[in-house]
Amino acid sequence: MDIKELRNEIDSIDSQIVKLFERRMETAAQIAQYKKDNGLPVYDRSREREVINKVTSMVKPEFSGYTKVFYQTMFDVSSSYQRKMNSGKSKLCEKIERITAETPQIRPDRAVVACQGVEGAYSQHACDKMFAYPTIMYFSTFEDVFKAVNSGLCRYGVLPVENSTAGSVNQVYDLMSKYRFYITHSMKMCIEHTLLGNEGAVESGLKEIYSHEQAINQCADYINKLGVKVKICKNTAEAAKLVAESGRTDVAAIGSKDCADLYGLNIISSSIQNTENNYTRFICISKNPEIYPGAKKTSIMLTLAHKPGSLYGIIARFAALGLNLTKLESRPIAGSNFEFMFYFDIDASVYSPELKELISELENDGEVFTYLGSYTED
């Protein structure tokens, strides 16, 4: 048979598969109704195992693995459809709709905002881009920012969560699971790192560089060429301040150009980051939920059962609903035995029926599930 004949054969087989799939889904709907009427759970692991064992024994050995994957995917799609049949609108969906209706049309220009660091830190630059007239309160640690928002001292907090070169800011993700808050806005900011020193400082005479761990990682190539020691600071602006106060010419700081003017330092070298496309993503958090018009990104947290296929089953739901994941981060849960909290960023409008369906499924499933907010990203 030539390729055309083989493809015709595939088309013929596909037409049969589609009809059988449709018939199977209609039967699954009837099963969903029966489970609902009799108070039975949607998920039945023993039944799935029984089916997989049966169908894999019916095919050639070389097809067993493929058959298992095929049926597991079909189970996930079927379960998603059954949950849709059985779950009405969740309380969380109703809450999100109410928040969306009650939130003002425009984000405030003025607000008291918590930032980690001191004047000149990148969080301050991000804050100035998010708010026209912010009153910034500086705190020494990321956790202090969360505490300030949690206590009501500040209405908002601005925090870095990930960098295109150095990856996620793990401490912030860990604090997300510790404190109750909502993301109201996010933005990506291009970060250009500069080497700063006191008058008389030159590259060849440096013995040590001060900066935040993330900045050190983002400029690792440059630092390795210099062959100097590094000192980790709480943030890049603090590093610049320490260098200025030291008066030494054998130390330098990695920070923003603004820090040169703020702390009276000279620019020794510019654009020293590993790559020109060096972006950091910042989030704005609030104790009270706010969903502004045009919100097209949603963040959630999930604690999944410690068993094979748990994460796969969740991701299959996203796929079945046509939802695009833009971020998946896992962090160990403190004090637990190899259990993880998963963070998901979903690229979907807050008005999307598919997003509402996913939220309803997760809430009605009894998953340990936290909604972190729906927001716009610049």
Side-chain angles (χ1 to χ4, degrees):
M1 298 176 68
D2 61 21
I3 188 67
K4 185 176 180 180
E5 291 174 316
L6 291 170
R7 285 174 174 169
N8 287 335
E9 178 69 10
I10 288 288
D11 290 342
S12 176
I13 294 169
D14 284 345
S15 65
Q16 297 174 60
I17 291 175
V18 168
K19 290 177 181 178
L20 290 172
F21 177 72
E22 186 175 32
R23 181 179 167 187
R24 194 183 196 283
M25 292 294 282
E26 289 171 347
T27 305
Q30 296 176 40
I31 293 173
Q33 186 61 50
Y34 179 87
K35 289 179 177 179
K36 183 177 182 180
D37 294 343
N38 291 273
L40 299 174
V42 169
Y43 184 67
D44 187 343
R45 187 172 182 81
S46 61
R47 169 61 178 165
E48 288 190 4
R49 185 182 296 108
E50 177 188 336
V51 172
I52 286 178
N53 287 339
K54 181 175 66 175
V55 296
T56 53
S57 68
M58 296 166 60
V59 298
K60 297 176 181 179
E62 61 263 36
F63 295 142
S64 295
Y66 300 108
T67 303
K68 181 179 180 180
V69 173
F70 176 74
Y71 267 82
Q72 283 178 330
T73 302
M74 192 155 55
F75 288 149
D76 290 327
V77 172
S78 179
S79 295
S80 179
Y81 184 54
Q82 288 183 329
R83 291 185 183 96
K84 178 181 178 181
M85 298 290 295
N86 286 351
S87 62
K89 184 184 291 186
S90 70
K91 291 182 180 179
L92 178 55
C93 281
E94 292 177 347
K95 179 181 178 181
I96 291 171
E97 290 177 357
R98 185 176 69 254
I99 295 166
T100 304
E102 293 174 353
T103 302
Q105 294 292 300
I106 301 174
R107 292 196 304 272
D109 286 337
R110 300 177 186 273
V112 180
V113 185
C115 288
Q116 188 267 343
V118 294
E119 192 74 17
Y122 288 111
S123 290
Q124 174 243 307
H125 294 302
C127 182
D128 284 337
K129 288 180 180 294
M130 291 183 182
F131 300 93
Y133 311 103
T135 299
I136 302 177
M137 295 185 68
Y138 292 104
F139 297 89
S140 59
T141 67
F142 291 138
E143 184 160 19
D144 288 338
V145 172
F146 279 88
K147 288 179 178 178
V149 176
N150 191 58
S151 68
L153 179 63
C154 298
R155 179 175 175 180
Y156 300 107
V158 172
L159 296 150
V161 288
E162 62 181 312
N163 175 264
S164 57
T165 302
S168 298
V169 184
N170 291 329
Q171 186 183 358
V172 174
Y173 277 101
D174 290 339
L175 290 166
M176 285 183 185
S177 62
K178 183 176 179 178
Y179 291 89
R180 180 71 176 181
F181 76 99
Y182 297 91
I183 301 174
T184 66
H185 183 56
S186 73
M187 65 166 294
K188 292 179 180 178
M189 188 169 73
C190 186
I191 303 296
E192 182 180 341
H193 289 301
T194 304
L195 188 66
L196 308 169
N198 290 305
E199 186 174 354
V202 294
E203 284 186 353
S204 58
L206 295 177
K207 296 180 179 178
E208 196 170 15
I209 288 179
Y210 298 178
S211 198
H212 185 266
E213 184 178 8
Q214 283 275 325
I216 295 293
N217 291 336
Q218 292 164 30
C219 303
D221 294 346
Y222 177 82
I223 294 171
N224 289 337
K225 288 179 181 178
L226 291 182
V228 296
K229 295 180 180 180
V230 298
K231 179 178 180 179
I232 303 299
C233 300
K234 292 180 180 178
N235 57 77
T236 54
E238 181 191 63
K241 186 178 180 181
L242 288 173
V243 168
E245 292 174 346
S246 74
R248 295 167 55 185
T249 58
D250 61 345
V251 297
I254 294 176
S256 67
K257 290 181 179 179
D258 287 352
C259 286
D261 294 330
L262 283 170
Y263 299 108
L265 297 173
N266 293 334
I267 296 176
I268 300 173
S269 185
S270 299
S271 298
I272 62 172
Q273 63 275 5
N274 296 345
T275 173
E276 290 184 5
N277 295 319
N278 184 42
Y279 286 86
T280 294
R281 181 180 173 225
F282 293 85
I283 56 172
C284 179
I285 63 171
S286 170
K287 185 175 182 180
N288 299 312
E290 300 174 6
I291 303 176
Y292 291 93
K296 293 184 178 180
K297 179 165 283 192
T298 291
S299 295
I300 63 174
M301 291 190 304
L302 276 174
T303 300
L304 302 180
H306 187 48
K307 60 184 182 182
S310 293
L311 180 58
Y312 173 81
I314 289 295
I315 293 176
R317 295 193 194 186
F318 287 94
L321 293 169
L323 294 171
N324 182 38
L325 274 176
T326 58
K327 176 74 174 180
L328 171 56
E329 182 80 18
S330 65
R331 295 296 300 156
I333 300 173
S336 67
N337 186 20
F338 296 105
E339 287 188 306
F340 290 82
M341 178 74 76
F342 291 89
Y343 299 83
F344 299 87
D345 284 343
I346 308 163
D347 191 15
S349 169
V350 70
Y351 310 106
S352 164
E354 291 79 15
L355 178 64
K356 293 178 181 178
E357 186 176 327
L358 175 72
I359 289 172
S360 294
E361 284 187 18
L362 294 175
E363 187 175 30
N364 291 322
D365 268 3
E367 302 278 4
V368 182
F369 161 58
T370 303
Y371 170 74
L372 294 177
S374 297
Y375 50 93
T376 58
E377 181 169 279
D378 298 333

